[in-house]
Amino acid sequence: MSDATQSNAWLENAAGECFAIVGACSLGRAPTNQIVLADQRASRQHAVIRPQAAGQYWLVDLGSRHGTLLNGRRITQPTLILDGDSIGIGSGTLTFRHPILVSPETVANPGLDTAGSDLGLDPCWLLLADIEDATRVLATFPAEDVPTVTGDWLAGCQQVIEESGGEITQVLEDGFLACWPAQADSEQQVAWAVAALKGWQAASELPFRIVLHYGPVYRGGTGTAPGEGSLSGSEVNFVFHMEKLADQLREPRLLSEAAASLLAGQLELTEAGRHPLPGYEGEFGFAKF
């Protein structure tokens, strides 16, 4: 067992034992792994957790026989993990712990976005889209049609994003992360994009939800290709937690308080209550439309 107090991220098993994540953390039955799993259903080299810039962690399955589950769903490509996520390997489950402890005032106050400019932080609009219950929904299509169906969905979303001056920065397993740098007309562009995506939700073969947030993020260099993960920071983690909240609330469209305060005059918004998010202190206000 590792001393998790020496790391800001760790895994916790059902017995309460904690295993620190230091650098790339490998998991499997082989004794050379950082975390050795005494489970015959685990592969010798089963999975790895890789830290990325600004405190992000990604879970990668290493071609294991029985697969790796994240919150009950098998992953097929590198996937961002967040505080409180459940990782299933073999017959066991590990809980990922990475408390961020950001206050509601920090997330809700867009005026803080210039404070980190010397650290490479830029204020951005962040939109996360995710296909609802993707495994079940995609199973209703013939296997040979799935790439076309998902490709058409992504192309429709991408057209809206790019026509409004945004870009898709990360293509995820069942969705994508997009951003718009804060500019003089970005509020109008984002409002148009969100309204257009609402229309695409009604027209698309695939049900999907969208969440929108505004805050300072670390941005990669210009020209970063989609899917390479050019955004990072606590606000990016925040929007991923927002998507999970939207799923719990069964809301197809959810805006953070920071985003809603800037778009209140351009979209017909309704309060969605105040809710806690794992790894963040207090409760946060949200809106829907």
Side-chain angles (χ1 to χ4, degrees), residues 19-279:
F19 306 86
I21 298 174
V22 180
C25 179
S26 59
L27 303 91
R29 284 191 295 110
T32 53
N33 288 291
Q34 276 189 260
I35 299 179
V36 179
L37 304 173
D39 188 325
Q40 289 303 309
R41 289 181 57 83
S43 297
R44 290 181 58 79
Q45 307 292 336
H46 195 105
V48 64
I49 296 175
R50 298 187 182 279
Q52 300 295 328
Q56 288 188 347
Y57 289 82
W58 290 72
L59 176 65
V60 183
D61 181 81
L62 299 177
S64 63
R65 180 176 182 180
H66 296 290
T68 301
L69 303 182
L70 179 62
N71 299 322
R73 297 169 61 182
R74 186 166 182 166
I75 64 171
T76 58
Q77 63 184 39
T79 304
L80 179 70
I81 53 177
L82 303 170
D83 182 54
D85 279 348
S86 172
I87 299 172
I89 295 178
S91 58
T93 300
L94 296 165
T95 300
F96 176 70
R97 303 298 301 167
H98 182 220
I100 303 170
L101 300 180
V102 177
S103 69
E105 291 76 14
T106 300
V107 175
N109 185 357
L112 294 175
D113 50 23
T114 57
S117 57
D118 292 339
L119 301 176
L121 288 168
D122 296 317
C124 288
W125 295 88
L126 300 171
L127 184 142
L128 180 64
D130 185 68
I131 299 172
E132 298 181 23
D133 197 6
T135 301
R136 181 190 62 80
V137 169
L138 294 177
T140 64
F141 295 91
E144 63 272 17
D145 292 345
V146 169
T148 300
V149 172
T150 55
D152 289 346
W153 169 75
L154 182 60
C157 293
Q158 185 172 9
Q159 181 177 354
V160 170
I161 300 299
E162 293 182 350
E163 286 184 359
S164 60
E167 64 172 333
I168 293 179
T169 61
Q170 295 183 31
V171 176
L172 308 167
E173 186 171 10
D174 301 322
F176 64 85
L177 178 66
C179 82
W180 292 257
Q183 298 173 347
D185 60 346
S186 60
E187 293 175 16
Q188 292 82 1
Q189 291 176 322
V190 172
W192 178 87
V194 172
L197 287 172
K198 179 180 179 180
W200 185 225
Q201 284 177 316
S204 174
E205 291 185 273
L206 298 177
F208 67 98
R209 70 180 63 87
I210 57 175
V211 298
L212 182 70
H213 181 46
Y214 178 83
V217 301
Y218 294 93
R219 287 176 53 84
T222 58
T224 302
E228 292 185 356
S230 59
L231 300 181
S232 59
S234 64
E235 307 297 328
V236 177
N237 292 338
F238 186 87
V239 81
F240 276 90
H241 279 298
M242 273 187 65
E243 190 278 327
K244 293 185 178 182
L245 175 64
D247 182 27
Q248 295 169 8
L249 298 177
R250 297 294 187 263
E251 292 293 347
R253 296 168 297 277
L254 193 67
L255 282 70
S256 70
E257 189 172 25
S261 66
L262 295 172
L263 299 183
Q266 305 194 46
L267 297 172
E268 294 186 7
L269 303 177
T270 303
E271 290 187 4
R274 300 188 66 82
H275 304 275
L277 293 180

